[in-house]
Amino acid sequence: MNEQPGGATRIACAQGFWGDWLEAPARQVTGGPIDYLMMDYLAEVTMSILQKQRSRDRSLGYATDFVVAMERLLPEIVNRSIRVTANAGGVNPRSCAEAVIAAARKLGLRGKVKVGVVTGDDIMTRLDDLIARGHPFANLDTGEPLSGVRDAVQSANAYLGAWPVVEALGRGANIIVTGRVTDTGLTLGPMIHEFGWKEHDWDRLAAGTVAGHIIECGAQCSGGNCLKDWRSIRGLEDPGYPIVEAASDGSFVVTKHPNTGGRVSVATVTEQLVYEMGDPRAYITPDCIADFTTIRLEQRGVDRVVVRDIRGRPATDSLKVSIAYAAGYKAVGTLVYAWPEAMDKAARADAILRARLQRLGLKFEEVLTEFVGANATHGRLAGKPNPDIAEVQLRVGVRAQERAPVERFSREIAPLVLNGPPSVTGFAGGRPKVEEIVAYWPALIAKSEIRPVVEILEA
Amino acid sequence: MRTKRRVGGSADRVPLVRLAHARSGDKGDTANVGLIALEPGYYPVLVKQVTAARVARHFKGIITGKVERFELPNLNALNFLLHGALGGGGTLSLKTDAQGKVFSTALLRLEIPVPQGLLE
């Protein structure tokens, strides 16, 4: 793998979430040399969406975008000896892997594709047994035990780290498909495999974890969503997704392919480092605890940022568990009111709507009104709305345990167009959609209860 | 928009947007805001003036929980955790900004006193 001078291993991120840019994988594979292609598909709620899909069809429950990308790119990936790490398996890694194998055979790549399947994260069927044996799955935010919502639980997955990915690479897999492996483990795994890092190399494991954190959101570290000097960040019609050039001592360079848009600078990388950060001294993963207050960044050339000096500490004895549970229903309705006195008309419409909901005797856990264009994102910090504002979008959301009141709410928006305040439009989308809420319950489980499983399938 | 005002002749008041950039995100019902100095020389001013208490006052009525602050001198950055910021968080939230993506710029509206001449 290490054909580059200095022995750097190049790990390229091609997806930052399920729904990210479909062109990114092809750009990363063909835009220049890389050793690994990393794709992160799993956000907190993605697992429950996948669980819902699997409950309707046993062969689903994984990120189908990944299989489409592999159908398109497997010949290039094989030709260039690139290895792929992706948590595209969702709640059904085995089916995802089989779909990749089928694609490989169809492309005439028999004997050239070995898929490593990482499972063992799914503890849904063991949940009652684990609770009975004294694991409360207390909510990390509220402290409440899971028993209160146990009947509503739809999926439960422990976060696995980098080591099962390392095992799959060691057994010769060139495509690694996982269930709930951490975003960072998909980047750290290849580094451990390449450099032979050990389980107690805490500083290096922390360095690989920080590298994973920087690139796990795709272009969000390479010029996308960057506030500093945003006007001067050009070429985002063809953004360069990030690449880490890792060295065996734990230092690495963040960069992107030549002739791509966006930017890799201390500012773009720093904005990503602080994204979704808690206590910076303790970024906890299954593999280690990384100390973000030790990270040194330095611009060294155009679109190249050196990252070094990262310190780590021993991992904890627990794994985080992501539990999804049904939590009622919600709907959001919108209408647009135009000048003159747009804000007053929207506010009057809101008052009328609320009075009607009340007269109908509908009970909601929450009713939230926002005026988009005036104060939806910054509230009172935005100041008084301009009385001459061209238009305001009235946006009303409701949430309830039962479906019926939410359903009825969804029928109370349209009538306002004819029987409410004037100068109203923007109802082309039809009735608000009633959504089932699948909420997220973070908890911990003892590491000793979870055993990752690695299987190898051959095309 | 007023961006500068004298206070007692010894300090200027400026909005954070002239001193820092920022990115925010979510963890459950908590929003985090990473505040990054635009120049290394601004960082000590941020440390001194953008206290957890001042940020809590700024977001009063907008968030329901407390504010925590962490320092990252290596990145010239402060990290704030704003608890009870997202209307329940994740899929439970009815807010436009359910994932706290633009609490970052809401914080940049905060005006703080800075030493005279800092921005010159």
Side-chain angles (χ1 to χ4, degrees):
Chain A
M1 278 297 141
N2 294 341
E3 292 133 350
Q4 257 207 332
T9 292
R10 294 155 299 197
I11 304 165
C13 174
Q15 292 283 279
F17 66 103
W18 189 13
D20 202 355
W21 197 37
L22 293 176
E23 295 308 305
R27 303 294 168 113
Q28 288 291 53
V29 167
T30 61
I34 61 169
D35 302 304
Y36 289 87
L37 189 70
M38 183 278 276
M39 291 192 256
D40 173 26
Y41 286 95
L42 301 181
E44 288 170 353
V45 296
T46 314
M47 294 299 275
S48 55
I49 296 166
L50 292 170
Q51 183 65 42
K52 215 181 272 178
Q53 294 180 356
R54 193 188 184 191
S55 66
R56 291 190 198 115
D57 180 341
R58 297 297 295 170
S59 71
L60 294 179
Y62 58 87
T64 45
D65 282 3
F66 176 69
V67 178
V68 174
M70 289 301 104
E71 282 166 353
R72 178 174 168 188
L73 293 170
L74 268 179
E76 282 289 346
I77 285 169
V78 169
N79 273 343
R80 295 169 184 251
S81 303
I82 294 168
R83 304 176 88 176
V84 177
T85 60
N87 55 16
V91 298
N92 197 353
R94 177 98 201 184
S95 287
C96 182
E98 282 166 3
V100 173
I101 292 286
R105 288 181 182 156
K106 215 161 83 186
L107 291 162
L109 296 171
R110 213 173 269 271
K112 291 182 176 161
V113 173
K114 273 175 123 175
V115 180
V117 191
V118 176
T119 55
D121 58 307
D122 188 344
I123 57 168
M124 184 63 186
T125 55
R126 297 172 54 200
L127 210 49
D128 289 319
D129 174 51
L130 288 165
I131 291 170
R133 288 200 286 114
H135 297 283
F137 295 101
N139 188 303
L140 282 177
D141 297 329
T142 65
E144 291 166 49
L146 185 66
S147 47
V149 299
R150 170 64 190 94
D151 293 342
V153 170
Q154 297 180 338
S155 67
N157 297 78
Y159 284 77
L160 306 180
W163 291 100
V165 175
V166 177
E167 182 187 335
L169 291 168
R171 288 166 62 184
N174 51 352
I175 312 288
I176 320 291
V177 172
T178 77
R180 185 61 275 193
V181 162
T182 56
D183 313 348
T184 53
L186 301 172
T187 298
L188 174 58
M191 293 186 192
I192 296 172
H193 173 73
E194 291 288 330
F195 304 133
W197 292 345
K198 304 292 178 228
E199 294 206 15
H200 53 265
D201 282 343
W202 305 117
D203 291 344
R204 293 187 179 95
L205 298 179
T209 298
V210 170
H213 177 81
I214 290 172
I215 65 172
E216 77 192 17
C217 292
Q220 202 177 219
C221 75
S222 54
N225 193 26
C226 181
L227 180 60
K228 189 184 183 194
D229 302 327
W230 71 270
R231 281 180 195 280
S232 71
I233 299 175
R234 309 314 285 254
L236 287 181
E237 60 277 13
D238 184 14
Y241 272 54
I243 298 168
V244 159
E245 296 174 357
S248 60
D249 67 356
S251 66
F252 58 91
V253 173
V254 184
T255 187
K256 61 189 184 71
H257 281 318
N259 306 313
T260 57
R263 175 181 297 164
V264 179
S265 68
V266 169
T268 68
V269 171
T270 304
E271 284 197 21
Q272 176 56 24
L273 278 172
V274 299
Y275 179 63
E276 292 185 345
M277 180 188 280
D279 179 347
R281 291 159 303 193
Y283 184 94
I284 303 170
T285 75
D287 307 305
C288 64
I289 297 175
D291 184 346
F292 276 43
T293 67
T294 61
I295 300 168
R296 297 277 159 202
L297 302 179
E298 185 193 327
Q299 191 86 38
R300 204 175 288 169
V302 176
D303 293 322
R304 292 181 69 80
V305 170
V306 177
V307 187
R308 58 186 170 81
D309 293 355
I310 295 158
R311 304 301 300 271
R313 298 196 298 278
T316 70
D317 295 333
S318 337
L319 293 177
K320 195 168 164 183
V321 179
S322 147
I323 298 167
Y325 67 101
Y329 300 84
K330 68 177 177 180
V332 173
T334 62
L335 290 169
V336 173
Y337 289 86
W339 184 94
E341 299 165 318
M343 183 65 201
D344 290 349
K345 290 168 186 164
R348 178 74 66 84
D350 176 53
I352 292 166
L353 173 64
R354 283 171 176 259
R356 287 181 185 169
L357 296 177
Q358 195 170 17
R359 285 176 192 198
L360 287 166
L362 303 179
K363 294 274 184 290
F364 298 103
E365 289 176 344
E366 192 186 358
V367 180
L368 178 75
T369 301
E370 294 177 328
F371 299 98
V372 180
N375 57 18
T377 55
H378 288 183
R380 67 164 168 75
L381 296 170
K384 264 198 168 24
N386 174 356
D388 253 348
I389 195 165
E391 69 263 335
V392 167
Q393 184 189 58
L394 169 67
R395 182 183 184 278
V396 183
V398 300
R399 188 178 70 228
Q401 282 301 318
E402 302 300 318
R403 188 178 189 106
V406 180
E407 195 75 57
R408 183 57 205 259
F409 160 83
S410 76
R411 292 162 181 250
E412 289 293 324
I413 303 295
L416 284 165
V417 175
L418 298 185
N419 69 17
S423 326
V424 57
T425 184
F427 192 65
R431 261 182 218 148
K433 198 170 123 251
V434 177
E435 278 182 75
E436 287 177 59
I437 302 172
V438 179
Y440 174 70
W441 184 284
L444 295 177
I445 182 86
K447 252 182 193 165
S448 53
E449 293 285 0
I450 306 297
R451 201 173 53 86
V453 178
V454 178
E455 287 174 274
I456 308 289
L457 308 182
E458 297 193 37
Chain B
M1 189 176 73
R2 183 184 59 196
T3 59
K4 207 167 174 179
R5 161 161 75 86
R6 281 291 160 89
V7 176
S10 61
D12 296 327
R13 272 185 96 81
V14 300
L16 281 177
V17 71
R18 295 188 59 198
L19 301 165
H21 58 122
R23 179 171 291 176
S24 55
D26 68 321
K27 274 271 181 285
D29 198 21
T30 298
N32 99 292
V33 182
L35 184 74
I36 308 152
L38 285 170
E39 301 289 340
Y42 299 169
Y43 181 66
V45 180
L46 300 183
V47 171
K48 186 165 173 215
Q49 297 294 344
V50 192
T51 59
R54 186 171 248 151
V55 172
R57 276 199 302 279
H58 184 63
F59 285 109
K60 194 171 176 202
I62 295 173
I63 66 171
T64 58
K66 62 177 181 166
V67 172
E68 289 181 90
R69 186 183 96 161
F70 302 93
E71 297 179 18
L72 292 105
N74 54 320
L75 301 178
N76 294 312
L78 296 172
N79 186 41
F80 296 91
L81 296 183
L82 315 177
H83 297 283
L86 301 174
T91 50
L92 286 167
S93 177
L94 298 173
K95 291 163 73 80
T96 296
D97 191 20
Q99 292 174 301
K101 299 276 187 184
V102 294
F103 268 84
S104 50
T105 56
L107 178 58
L108 294 179
R109 290 175 177 274
L110 175 66
E111 290 190 0
I112 60 164
V114 301
Q116 210 173 1
L118 183 76
L119 294 173
E120 264 113 63

